[in-house]
Amino acid sequence: MRKLASIILFLAIVSNSFGQSKNSPLQISHLTGDFYVYRTFNDYKGNKISANALYLVTDKGVVLFDAPWDKTQFQPLLDSIKAKHNKDVVMLFATHSHEDRAGGFDFYKKKGIKTYSIKLTDDILKKNKEPRAKFIIPNDTTFTVGQHKFEVYYPGKGHAPDNIVVWFDKEKVLYGGCFVKSADAEDLGYLGDANVKEWKTSIGKVKTKFKNPKFIIPGHDDWKNIESLNHTSELVNDYLANSLKKK
């Protein structure tokens, strides 16, 4: 009887996590191979906005790239991953200091998960007296975790002064975080910490360094259109052109 109850609980967790409705607070989608995009939500200026993040399943455990924007989903994400893959999360990388990326450092660190950021991110979090990562990494670092290799790269300022991207060369997956806008985005969104002029240069560096991506994951909204990085470049050019007209 106990075994049957355990099976039912397992199936319930999997169903809640992977057979989600569009209203689920945590939505997980298979990207390719061992890659999964997960989406959480929060309110921004009175509107419910989605935030995309990524996790990678390896032989050594699961690697998270950014934490859920919704704090109530910190533990459900771990539970869902455990139910689906029977693996624990072992590493968390934040792609910049904003809450929708680095907001889970304290929670996941207490769970024994290794947390990572570049020094620029750490400096901002320290200044703002917010929880910081345990490990500080160079701006351009390659990691091998289990059977997977990936590069964490800082291209320069853009959406934030400390935004990084992650590149998986074998699978040609570019995880852009908020450095990349969705192909559906009508504008550049929140620019409180942005440097739009340098963003243009930074995009050029990413395009030069990481060629022919098959998948590009932006920080918010739709992630299935491969033109998101090019669209971001167009939005930046439009913004700069309009700024010149106003002078």
Side-chain angles (χ1 to χ4, degrees):
M1 186 70 181
R2 183 176 298 175
K3 184 176 180 181
L4 177 61
S6 297
I7 292 172
I8 292 172
L9 177 61
F10 174 84
L11 291 174
I13 292 173
V14 172
S15 175
N16 287 339
S17 302
F18 289 84
Q20 322 100 323
S21 73
K22 63 180 181 179
N23 295 319
S24 298
L26 172 65
Q27 299 174 9
I28 301 176
S29 303
H30 181 235
L31 180 67
T32 183
D34 294 322
F35 295 81
Y36 294 80
V37 176
Y38 76 89
R39 175 177 285 184
T40 55
F41 302 83
N42 217 319
D43 290 327
Y44 178 68
K45 293 184 177 181
N47 296 314
K48 189 177 182 181
I49 305 297
S50 66
N52 303 321
L54 186 75
Y55 73 77
L56 173 65
V57 181
T58 82
D59 295 340
K60 301 297 183 181
V62 174
V63 183
L64 289 183
F65 300 94
D66 291 328
W69 194 9
D70 179 357
K71 294 180 180 180
T72 69
Q73 298 307 305
F74 285 172
Q75 185 62 47
L77 175 61
L78 299 183
D79 296 340
S80 298
I81 289 172
K82 185 70 172 181
K84 173 67 175 176
H85 309 288
N86 196 29
K87 291 181 181 291
D88 295 319
V89 173
V90 294
M91 304 169 79
L92 165 64
F93 292 82
T95 54
H96 64 278
S97 67
H98 291 166
E99 186 180 12
D100 58 339
R101 305 295 143 187
F105 273 160
D106 187 52
F107 180 91
Y108 290 115
K109 195 187 300 184
K110 288 177 180 177
K111 292 287 183 179
I113 296 168
K114 295 178 180 179
T115 52
Y116 298 82
S117 78
I118 62 171
K119 188 176 185 302
L120 284 170
T121 299
D122 186 64
D123 289 343
I124 293 170
L125 293 173
K126 182 178 180 181
K127 180 181 177 181
N128 294 337
K129 297 181 179 179
E130 296 172 348
R132 298 151 62 192
K134 183 175 182 180
F135 299 99
I136 309 304
I137 59 176
N139 288 352
D140 191 357
T141 312
T142 298
F143 289 84
T144 299
V145 183
Q147 74 277 34
H148 288 285
K149 181 182 288 188
F150 56 88
E151 183 175 356
V152 176
Y153 175 65
Y154 173 67
K157 297 177 181 179
H159 165 78
D162 58 322
N163 45 210
I164 59 174
V165 300
V166 187
W167 174 249
F168 306 85
D169 188 63
K170 182 180 177 182
E171 298 84 2
K172 303 299 180 185
V173 173
L174 177 66
Y175 177 64
C178 296
F179 179 80
V180 179
K181 303 297 296 182
S182 168
D184 293 339
E186 296 179 357
D187 55 45
L188 292 173
Y190 175 70
L191 295 176
D193 297 316
N195 187 317
V196 183
K197 186 175 181 180
E198 291 195 32
W199 200 342
K200 181 177 180 178
T201 302
S202 302
I203 290 172
K205 290 180 181 178
V206 170
K207 286 185 174 182
T208 298
K209 189 172 180 65
F210 306 126
K211 297 184 181 300
N212 303 316
K214 294 180 180 178
F215 304 92
I216 302 176
I217 311 302
H220 298 276
D221 301 319
D222 180 65
W223 49 267
K224 297 177 182 178
N225 190 325
I226 195 66
E227 290 299 316
S228 53
L229 185 59
N230 289 331
H231 182 61
T232 306
S233 183
E234 291 171 359
L235 290 174
V236 167
N237 288 336
D238 290 345
Y239 181 92
L240 293 174
N242 290 330
S243 297
L244 286 174
K245 289 178 182 179
K246 293 177 181 178
K247 290 184 178 180

